[in-house]
Amino acid sequence: MKRTTGNLLTDRPELYEARFPDPGRLAGRWAEDCLRRYGAGPAVLDLGCGTGRDAAYLHRAGHRVTAADLSSTMLAHARAHHPGPVYLQADLSGFDFGHGVFDAVVCLDSSLLYCHTNEQLDGFLESCRHALAPGGLLVAEMRNGAYFLGRDEPPATPAVTRFTWHGTTYRATTALSLDRTAQLLRRTRTWIADDGTQPVEERSAWRLLFPQELRHLLTTHGFDVLALHDGPGPRTEPAWRPGAAPGGTAEGDRLHLVARCHRPAGRVARHHPPTGERP
């Protein structure tokens, strides 16, 4: 049986939203709470916006939103189904939407971790710093590299999940592995649908960042860390609820970050090979 390579959910944004429904817009509400809690202004840049659900929520909440993603397919879906923000194509590891034009940058769902190398991380943070007005906020949510310290390897047996959409059942077989040298959590996922289409094999990875490593990177690029904790957040158990205060530990499987820029953009040398995919 032949397998095609690609990203089933990125290539089919409507399927992405069916697989990962967020009817209560929890991620967008959490981000909005952070923006209000720390006094962000109205101009917001949503990086790695995907299907545009969270960007559209922030737009409806009264922000002036620009949203960016690498996937042209995702952006086309966002413009058609989640209007309001201005949608632009960009690579997170190096972008330029103007100097000092945003009051906040939002980066959810581990989008930051698709910057795999130190050069790409430098490019992301320098680009954010360039885009933010003095005192602007960076709000991010991602996997926590420290969660894997002292724990066993990811399960040796691949996980199998299923969901049905428009009469077709999709089965995903997902295997995870740790690449400690590169600090990457690698994922191989195979999708099989019962409609007779060929299986699709996806290969992706997330950079695993540790809390103190992330704090150092942010400080180096001109940010003061206001909050860095493991929850509550939109993907934690229990999930964040309105009014919940930021936590004080960073031991869980998610990291939640709020940082404020405090100096003009620096001149960190960088190289920006494109990341090549979107989650």
Side-chain angles (χ1 to χ4, degrees):
M1 182 182 297
K2 182 180 178 181
R3 293 180 179 179
T4 61
T5 57
N7 190 315
L8 181 74
L9 300 184
T10 298
D11 295 341
R12 299 180 62 183
E14 71 284 354
L15 198 60
Y16 181 100
E17 292 193 337
R19 175 64 182 87
F20 299 110
D22 186 10
R25 298 295 183 263
L26 188 60
R29 288 163 56 208
W30 174 81
E32 164 64 10
D33 181 81
C34 290
L35 297 176
R36 286 189 289 104
R37 184 184 298 270
Y38 293 97
V44 175
L45 174 61
D46 180 8
L47 293 175
C49 67
T51 66
R53 293 182 302 190
D54 300 327
Y57 177 86
L58 293 173
H59 170 80
R60 291 193 299 271
H63 296 282
R64 190 169 64 252
V65 181
T66 298
D69 200 279
L70 186 61
S71 168
S72 58
T73 306
M74 284 286 199
L75 291 170
H77 177 90
R79 293 184 184 105
H81 296 276
H82 301 290
V86 174
Y87 291 103
L88 301 172
Q89 189 170 28
D91 187 332
L92 270 66
S93 64
F95 59 89
D96 186 355
F97 299 136
H99 181 257
V101 297
F102 296 102
D103 301 304
V105 171
V106 171
C107 190
L108 305 177
D109 291 331
S110 294
S111 293
L112 166 57
L113 303 185
Y114 285 89
C115 295
H116 291 171
T117 67
N118 292 340
E119 290 79 12
Q120 289 173 337
L121 288 166
D122 284 337
F124 171 84
L125 291 172
E126 184 182 352
S127 296
C128 288
R129 187 62 191 83
H130 179 81
L132 285 167
L137 293 181
L138 171 60
V139 176
E141 183 270 339
M142 70 200 83
R143 290 175 178 267
N144 181 9
Y147 178 75
F148 293 93
L149 291 174
R151 288 181 168 83
D152 293 336
E153 297 274 358
T157 302
V160 178
T161 58
R162 294 176 175 84
F163 78 102
T164 300
W165 183 71
H166 287 188
T168 299
T169 298
Y170 299 84
R171 185 183 71 186
T173 302
T174 303
L176 299 173
S177 63
L178 284 176
D179 181 341
R180 290 183 172 86
T181 301
Q183 282 184 227
L184 295 177
L185 178 63
R186 298 190 182 276
R187 180 183 70 183
T188 301
R189 174 178 286 166
T190 301
W191 289 97
I192 298 177
D194 65 3
D195 61 358
T197 57
Q198 289 184 338
V200 175
E201 184 177 272
E202 304 169 357
R203 293 183 180 271
S204 58
W206 296 275
R207 172 69 180 261
L208 295 178
L209 293 172
F210 299 96
Q212 292 304 314
E213 177 187 21
L214 182 56
R215 190 182 294 274
H216 174 72
L217 284 167
L218 288 158
T219 301
T220 299
H221 283 276
F223 289 88
D224 294 320
V225 177
L226 306 180
L228 184 59
H229 59 89
D230 54 11
R235 293 192 179 275
T236 60
E237 290 292 342
W240 172 86
R241 293 183 178 182
T249 61
E251 300 177 354
D253 63 346
R254 309 297 292 190
L255 274 180
H256 307 84
L257 163 72
V258 182
R260 192 184 306 279
C261 62
H262 65 79
R263 71 169 187 253
R267 293 185 177 181
V268 177
R270 68 190 193 274
H271 172 60
H272 299 309
T275 59
E277 64 174 296
R278 169 63 173 78

